[in-house]
Amino acid sequence: MYAQMIKSEATQDDPEKLAAFQARIDAGEKIEPKDWMPEGYRKTLIRQIGQHAHSEIVGQLPEGNWITRAPTLERKAILLAKVQDEAGHGLYLYCAAETLGVSRDEITEMLLDGRMKYSSIFNYPTLNWADIGAVGWLVDGAAIMNQVPLQRTSFGPYSRAMIRICKEESFHQRQGYDAIRKMAEGTPEQKKMAQDALNRLWYPSLMMFGPSDKDSVHSAQSMAWKIKMNTNDELRQKFVDQTVPQAEYLGLTIPDPDLKWNEERGHYDYTDPDWSEFFEVIKGNGPCNVDRLAARNKAWDDGAWVRDGLLAHAKKKATRQHAAE
Ligand code: FAQ
């Protein structure tokens, strides 16, 4: 439906302008907010950047839940810094979306009433400390795999936000790997917890890359516009190839009995996630969807007085300045 809308809007644009725009993209030029762009390009960016921003913000919840229960002062300081970074990533991305003519309030409201999505992964719970290591290792690992190529995306503000974000994401992935390594090398019980976290988070992490290419409605157009640089399956495969040796190093087993190295392809063969589960989660029926949206709505409502106060202050200041002129 959305893809059809974009297509029909694209055909309404002036063909000459469209061709010149595509030529700029093909030549690797960056598109900046004041440049002419097809309406479909603008809308696709708002959807993707907005969804990405919301993911960073909602993504603070599963880990934020463990800050007060971190096992050592050092782990607590690291986790606190990481969760704060995610808030910063959300803000860079909201700013990038704002350059496309949509306000942060507007897209926040679309998240809060369910019109906009956020990443499926954050609808899974973090049940114990091993999950926090696994989130850093797998979830941030998958996020970087997707975001490194996005540093070269065609829209300038998105690309520049991604460059900054990727620098921090690599620290996030490493701190997660370090935390899960400590568990995997710990007592038999701790190792069991690490394995259990991997068992539960493996397939949700693979789902982060989106549906398989044959079901991806936006990939073809988004790749032609360089809003996406790779297909969902390409990135998923790269993630599997990178993560299997990391699991082996930890002495943990990927929960996929059919996983094996394919000499001919030069990649691991792996079992796809259960796509019916993925589509249920993105429809709002995952284990934590209701809780996550309730938490974000509560934070938005509880923060209303701060927003009102800031606006009242800005208004007063402007009136005073006006009177002095
Ligand atoms: N979850 O046609 P496609 C992070 C939807 S990283 C929910 O393939 P597209 C860091 C999609 O929106 C996580 N929905 O879509 C962190 C579309 O529905 P729509 C965020 C999904 O856009 C770590 C439909 O399925 N990263 O947060 C998902 O071409 C730790 C059809 O799919 C980004 O957002 C999903 N996983 O490709 C933070 C990266 N996958 O909108 C805190 C930028 C697909 O038509 C703690 N985004 N859908 O109703 C992208 O690269 C792309 O948007 C994809 C999806 C690859 C996610």
Side-chain angles (χ1 to χ4, degrees), residues 31-84:
I31 307 300
E32 296 298 336
K34 288 187 176 161
D35 296 347
W36 182 86
M37 61 185 78
E39 195 47 25
Y41 178 83
R42 196 180 70 82
K43 285 198 170 149
T44 300
L45 277 170
I46 292 174
R47 183 184 62 79
Q48 181 167 316
I49 300 174
Q51 174 176 309
H52 194 165
H54 300 327
S55 304
E56 302 282 355
I57 299 298
V58 178
Q60 293 179 97
L61 296 170
E63 288 172 291
N65 183 32
W66 280 88
I67 292 171
T68 55
R69 290 175 284 171
T72 66
L73 183 59
E74 193 189 8
R75 293 280 175 208
K76 190 188 192 99
I78 294 170
L79 186 60
L80 191 58
K82 189 224 187 253
V83 172
Q84 282 175 340

Side-chain angles (χ1 to χ4, degrees), residues 270-289:
Y270 64 94
T271 309
D272 258 342
D274 173 354
W275 291 120
S276 60
E277 176 180 321
F278 168 78
F279 286 112
E280 276 305 307
V281 173
I282 69 171
K283 260 200 286 176
N285 303 325
C288 300
N289 296 61

Side-chain angles (χ1 to χ4, degrees), residues 102-176:
V102 62
S103 75
R104 186 168 145 198
D105 281 8
E106 274 174 90
I107 49 175
T108 300
E109 275 158 17
M110 287 199 265
L111 163 74
L112 298 179
D113 66 18
R115 276 176 292 156
M116 271 183 96
K117 295 186 168 74
Y118 55 90
S119 182
S120 49
I121 186 71
F122 302 118
N123 292 307
Y124 290 85
T126 42
L127 301 179
N128 57 51
W129 180 254
D131 287 13
I132 297 304
V135 166
W137 171 33
L138 301 172
V139 176
D140 287 277
I144 308 176
M145 194 55 84
N146 169 283
Q147 291 170 7
V148 165
L150 287 178
Q151 295 177 107
R152 291 178 287 112
T153 193
S154 61
F155 186 57
Y158 191 25
S159 153
R160 291 188 285 275
M162 289 324 307
I163 291 169
R164 241 180 118 165
I165 290 174
C166 282
K167 289 202 173 100
E168 293 171 354
E169 281 312 358
S170 68
F171 147 68
H172 295 174
Q173 196 267 353
R174 288 175 69 175
Q175 68 81 35

Side-chain angles (χ1 to χ4, degrees), residues 192-252:
K192 214 168 138 198
M193 282 169 74
Q195 181 63 54
D196 171 59
L198 173 59
N199 292 350
R200 281 179 291 104
L201 288 166
W202 174 251
Y203 283 109
S205 300
L206 294 190
M207 292 175 195
M208 286 176 71
F209 297 95
S212 66
D213 289 351
K214 65 177 172 25
D215 295 319
S216 170
V217 280
H218 303 295
S219 280
Q221 182 60 78
S222 290
M223 285 179 67
W225 277 332
K226 296 190 185 161
I227 289 175
K228 270 169 93 163
M229 307 303 289
N230 302 87
T231 73
N232 301 351
D233 286 339
E234 277 167 13
L235 291 176
R236 197 173 0 258
Q237 179 73 64
K238 276 180 94 168
F239 174 75
V240 172
D241 292 349
Q242 171 184 282
T243 311
V244 173
Q246 294 173 346
E248 279 167 4
Y249 181 81
L250 295 173
L252 299 179

